[in-house]
Amino acid sequence: GILKQTFPLIDAATGRDGAETVWLIELKDGRILTWGENNKFHLWRLPALDDSILSMPIDIYPIALLEDDSDSYFMNGVIELPDGRLVTCGTHNTIHVWQLSDDIQSRYVIRPIKRLVGHVGEINHLVLLCDGSFVSCGQDGMMCLWRL
C-alpha cells in the first residue's frame, strides 16, 4: 500500500524549520516511487543492504524523475499493472500511464506513454481488478472502467 510520512526539513536559504509530506509506494521489482507536496515524482532503487551498510547512514539518490506537462499536478493515487506499467491519477481530469523500463539510468526523465480522459474533475482513486483492468473514481461522481 501507499505510505504517507512527514519529514522535518530545514530551508537552507532561510534556516527556518519546515516539513514536507511525502507519499511512497514500493513496486513489485523493489524500486520505490515517491511524490510530495512539491508535485515531484521520483523513482528510487535501494542498494543491497548488508550488516556493514546498516551501521552507518547512506546517501541514496533518485534514478529517475516522472514528469507530466504540468507543474500543478498532484497525484492522488497510483497502481502498478501486472505488466509493470504504472497508472496515476490526480488533480487533473487525466489518468497517466507510465512505462518504467529496467534499464533506467541515473537522472533519467520519464514522461507518460498514454493519457486517459473520461472524468470531468479531479480523480481521487484507482483500484486494480483481478483481470488487470482498473477502475477510477472522481469528484465528478463517475466511476470509469479501463482496459489497456
Side-chain angles (χ1 to χ4, degrees):
I2 296 174
L3 174 68
K4 177 182 174 184
Q5 180 68 46
T6 301
F7 293 96
L9 300 173
I10 297 177
D11 186 322
T14 65
R16 284 193 259 168
D17 292 336
E20 180 173 347
T21 301
V22 175
W23 290 261
L24 65 91
I25 186 169
E26 183 179 9
L27 305 177
K28 292 176 201 163
D29 66 4
R31 293 182 290 182
I32 294 176
L33 178 68
T34 63
W35 65 98
E37 296 166 333
N38 64 359
N39 300 323
K40 301 284 185 206
F41 313 105
H42 293 98
L43 185 65
W44 307 77
R45 180 174 287 120
L46 298 179
L49 299 177
D50 61 31
D51 291 339
S52 65
I53 291 178
L54 294 176
S55 65
M56 63 182 148
I58 55 173
D59 291 329
I60 305 169
Y61 299 97
I63 58 172
L65 175 66
L66 282 67
E67 286 187 350
D68 69 343
D69 296 329
S70 169
D71 290 334
S72 62
Y73 178 76
F74 184 80
M75 189 161 57
N76 290 332
V78 59
I79 57 172
E80 185 176 9
L81 298 178
D83 64 6
R85 290 179 293 174
L86 290 183
V87 179
T88 62
C89 69
T91 53
H92 297 314
N93 60 344
T94 304
I95 294 170
H96 293 96
V97 181
W98 310 82
Q99 181 68 53
L100 305 179
S101 65
D102 292 333
D103 61 346
I104 293 174
Q105 300 299 316
S106 185
R107 309 287 185 205
Y108 192 74
V109 175
I110 302 170
R111 302 218 179 267
I113 59 169
K114 189 177 286 191
R115 290 174 174 82
L116 307 174
V117 179
H119 288 277
V120 294
E122 184 171 332
I123 304 168
N124 299 323
H125 300 287
L126 297 170
V127 177
L128 182 63
L129 303 177
C130 294
D131 65 358
S133 61
F134 63 94
V135 173
S136 60
C137 304
Q139 287 185 352
D140 55 9
M142 291 179 25
M143 184 168 23
C144 298
L145 174 65
W146 304 91
R147 287 194 176 99
L148 299 178

